[in-house]
C-alpha cells in the first residue's frame, strides 16, 4: 500500500482553497485541481510499503505524536513548484510561528528513518497543493496569475496527525485515513 503522513484541514481552510481554485479557473485546462477530500498538509511521504509493515508504521507514528506539540497553521499566499520554469504544482503556503510544525516534520524524518524509510533530501517546504499541471502551454501566465492571488489568511489548530493510504485510480488519487494520532508533546496549551 502507498502511504503518507498528513494533517487534516478544517472545512474553513478547504473552502478558502476552493475559492482560490475558482479564482484561477481560467487555467482549468492546464491544471488538474485537487478535490476537497484530497486536500491535506503532507508531513512525510512513505511511498509503497508492504501491508505487513502497517503495525510498525502505526507504532512509529504514535511515538512521533507523543513528542510533537500541537500547533497552529496560517494559510495564505500562493506559489508554484518549482520556483522557476515550467510550473508543476500550484499551492498555498503554510506558516507556523512556534517552530512546532518544523519539529514535527523533523521527528517524522528521524523516527521513520529508524524503521527504514529514507530521509527526504529536499528541505521541508510546508504547502497545501491546489493543483498539479497536466500540460502547461500558458507561457508564464499561470505563474503570474498564481503569484497575483490575494488570499485572506486562515488559521487552524493541528492537534493530530494521520497515516493516510493513497490509492491511485484513473480518476486521480483516493485518500483514506487509516489511523489518527493525537499530538501530545511539549508544553503547548
Ligand atoms: O499534495 P502534497 O504535495 O502535499 O506530492 C505528494 C503529496 O503531497 C507527495 O505525497 C503526498 C501524497 O501523495 N509525494 C508523492 N510522491 C512523493 C515522493 N516520491 C511525494 N513526496 C516525496 N517524494
Amino acid at each position: 500500500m502507498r502511504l503518507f503522513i498528513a494533517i487534516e484541514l478544517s472545512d474553513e481552510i478547504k473552502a478558502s482553497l476552493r475559492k482560490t481554485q475558482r479564482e484561477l479557473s481560467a487555467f482549468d485546462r492546464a491544471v488538474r485541481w485537487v478535490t476537497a477530500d484530497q486536500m491535506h498538509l503532507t508531513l512525510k511521504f512513505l511511498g509503497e510499503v508492504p501491508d505487513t509493515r502497517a503495525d510498525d508504521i502505526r507504532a512509529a507514528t504514535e511515538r512521533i505524536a507523543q513528542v510533537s506539540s500541537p500547533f497552529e497553521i496560517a494559510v495564505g499566499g500562493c506559489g508554484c513548484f518549482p520556483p522557476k520554469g515550467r510550473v508543476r504544482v500550484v499551492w498555498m503556503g503554510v506558516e507556523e510561528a512556534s517552530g512546532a510544525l518544523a519539529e514535527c516534520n523533523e521527528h517524522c524524518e528521524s523516527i521513520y528513518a529508524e524503521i527504514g524509510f529514507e530521509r527526504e533530501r529536499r528541505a521541508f517546504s510546508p504547502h497545501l497543493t491546489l493543483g498539479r499541471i497536466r500540460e502547461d502551454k500558458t507561457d508564464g501566465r499561470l505563474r503570474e496569475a498564481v503569484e497575483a492571488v490575494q488570499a485572506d489568511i486562515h488559521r487552524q489548530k493541528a492537534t493530530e496527525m494521520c497515516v493516510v493510504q493513497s490509492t491511485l485510480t484513473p480518476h486521480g488519487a483516493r485518500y483514506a485515513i487509516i489511523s489518527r494520532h493525537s499530538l501530545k508533546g511539549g508544553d503547548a496549551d
Side-chain angles (χ1 to χ4, degrees):
M1 56 187 167
R2 185 180 161 91
L3 297 181
F4 66 98
I5 310 300
I7 304 286
E8 273 188 296
L9 300 178
S10 67
D11 289 343
E12 182 192 330
I13 295 224
K14 288 185 178 188
S16 145
L17 300 187
R18 298 294 279 173
K19 180 165 174 269
T20 301
Q21 289 174 328
R22 286 194 297 275
E23 284 171 21
L24 293 167
S25 61
F27 300 95
D28 282 354
R29 279 219 287 198
V31 185
R32 186 197 298 264
W33 299 111
V34 305
T35 58
D37 55 357
Q38 294 169 332
M39 293 169 173
H40 58 264
L41 167 59
T42 303
L43 289 168
K44 171 77 180 166
F45 179 73
L46 297 178
E48 198 60 44
V49 301
D51 291 4
T52 51
R53 297 223 60 194
D55 286 346
D56 286 355
I57 292 165
R58 245 194 305 272
T61 309
E62 188 55 34
R63 277 171 63 206
I64 295 164
Q66 292 285 342
V67 294
S68 298
S69 309
F71 51 84
E72 186 181 80
I73 57 171
V75 175
C78 271
C80 303
F81 286 147
K84 280 188 188 155
R86 233 176 103 131
V87 176
R88 297 173 64 95
V89 173
V90 177
W91 46 259
M92 287 194 74
V94 173
E95 292 194 4
E96 194 285 314
S98 78
L101 169 58
E103 275 173 27
C104 179
N105 168 258
E106 189 44 45
H107 291 312
C108 289
E109 292 299 341
S110 56
I111 292 180
Y112 293 124
E114 282 177 25
I115 62 163
F117 291 94
E118 245 185 70
R119 290 183 73 98
E120 172 64 56
R121 292 191 198 102
R122 295 171 294 192
F124 180 50
S125 177
H127 65 273
L128 310 179
T129 297
L130 287 174
R132 298 185 173 84
I133 285 34
R134 303 169 199 266
E135 195 183 2
D136 188 4
K137 291 186 177 162
T138 67
D139 298 326
R141 282 179 294 121
L142 172 59
R143 185 182 291 280
E144 272 172 37
V146 168
E147 288 171 359
V149 169
Q150 301 274 344
D152 296 335
I153 306 280
H154 291 268
R155 293 174 201 281
Q156 175 194 329
K157 276 227 162 185
T159 57
E160 62 180 21
M161 57 194 290
C162 304
V163 180
V164 187
Q165 179 169 9
S166 163
T167 306
L168 303 177
T169 79
H171 311 289
R174 299 231 190 288
Y175 299 147
I177 293 178
I178 62 174
S179 61
R180 296 170 187 277
H181 305 265
S182 294
L183 304 180
K184 298 192 188 83
D187 50 13
D189 46 30

